[in-house]
Amino acid sequence: MLISDDRRMLFVHIPKTGGASIEQLLREACPDARSIGRQRHARLRRILAQNPELADYWSFGFVRNPWARMVSWYSMIETWNRRWGPASGRPQDGQWGSTRDGNPLWRAVAEYADFEEFVLRGTEEQDRLSVPQVAYLVDGDQRADFIGRTESLGADMATIQRQLGLARTEIPRRNTTSHGSYRDYYSPAARDRIGEVYAADIAEFGYDF
């Protein structure tokens, strides 16, 4: 989550939708941009419940094809696991405060055997892996004023910059992952499981496998 009082802006950061790049751009463009609290990925409902003065700020967030998003999420955690997590063989100090230390979700997923288990078991056991993206962007009858898509990040950020009166600047690349086509990762069972878990996103945004 990021807000700017000068621009009366509220950015809802959904995990693995390009949010780190968007945050960097906004912080550079809006000197007063700041986070509130310690929940980087707070939902709009929680943000407004705790900060009702933000209800009339212009709010936005980004969503992503759920099948592609899960591959990106897994790839990020797998990279951390090889570099810093249990798979690296490095001693763990148990202090979660940096990318090196990871977080409880990453540490739990690091115990899974592969992507198949990440999808089938992870969406059962880890709440964050089973929350439809649209749930981040609604508060009762109210929803974010603008919902962009990672697939059209450049064009949608240009729309946001115009709305906020910001100069058009290049989007930085943060927290990117390297992997092949997301379709190659899925068994039929894993594909169908994501279709079930993220049915609300598929219906709302028209995504398909």
Side-chain angles (χ1 to χ4, degrees):
M1 174 193 50
L2 201 67
I3 69 168
S4 166
D5 297 316
D6 287 347
R7 303 287 174 172
R8 299 186 67 77
M9 169 204 83
L10 167 57
F11 169 53
V12 181
H13 184 170
I14 300 173
K16 299 310 297 175
T17 60
S21 298
I22 296 165
E23 278 195 5
Q24 180 176 330
L25 183 153
L26 293 172
R27 288 185 184 279
E28 292 172 355
C30 306
D32 75 318
R34 70 187 193 280
S35 301
I36 297 179
R38 304 182 68 178
Q39 275 218 326
R40 187 180 190 186
H41 302 297
R43 304 184 203 182
L44 182 63
R45 179 181 294 108
R46 180 167 185 172
I47 295 169
L48 297 183
Q50 296 179 344
N51 307 276
E53 71 278 8
L54 302 178
D56 61 350
Y57 278 30
W58 192 76
S59 58
F60 68 97
F62 276 77
V63 297
R64 184 177 189 175
N65 180 303
W67 288 279
R69 178 172 173 255
M70 292 297 282
V71 170
S72 179
W73 211 340
Y74 179 76
S75 297
M76 178 186 68
I77 297 172
E78 188 180 38
T79 298
W80 167 81
N81 189 23
R82 290 196 306 267
R83 184 176 299 170
W84 298 110
S88 71
R90 295 173 183 267
Q92 302 295 304
D93 58 20
Q95 296 180 3
W96 302 332
S98 69
T99 300
R100 183 198 68 188
D101 299 326
N103 61 46
L105 173 63
W106 294 9
R107 289 173 180 271
V109 169
E111 300 298 323
Y112 295 163
D114 51 24
F115 179 74
E116 183 89 353
E117 191 170 357
F118 171 71
V119 170
L120 298 181
R121 180 179 168 190
T123 55
E124 290 281 354
E125 297 178 347
Q126 308 298 329
D127 290 343
R128 286 184 63 193
L129 297 180
S130 61
V131 179
Q133 297 165 90
V134 69
Y136 283 86
L137 300 168
V138 297
D139 178 19
D141 294 333
Q142 181 176 351
R143 61 185 289 159
D145 296 297
F146 181 81
I147 300 176
R149 300 185 183 221
T150 305
E151 295 83 6
S152 53
L153 182 62
D156 289 342
M157 273 308 304
T159 298
I160 291 165
Q161 288 167 321
R162 286 194 298 270
Q163 171 67 32
L164 298 175
L166 302 176
R168 179 76 184 273
T169 56
E170 185 175 349
I171 303 171
R173 293 178 61 82
R174 294 282 308 279
N175 291 353
T176 58
T177 56
S178 179
H179 51 77
S181 169
Y182 71 83
R183 294 181 179 88
D184 294 338
Y185 283 72
Y186 283 91
S187 68
R191 178 198 62 208
D192 293 347
R193 176 61 181 164
I194 295 303
E196 295 169 1
V197 172
Y198 291 97
D201 291 338
I202 294 164
E204 181 73 22
F205 305 115
Y207 283 121
D208 58 34
F209 186 71

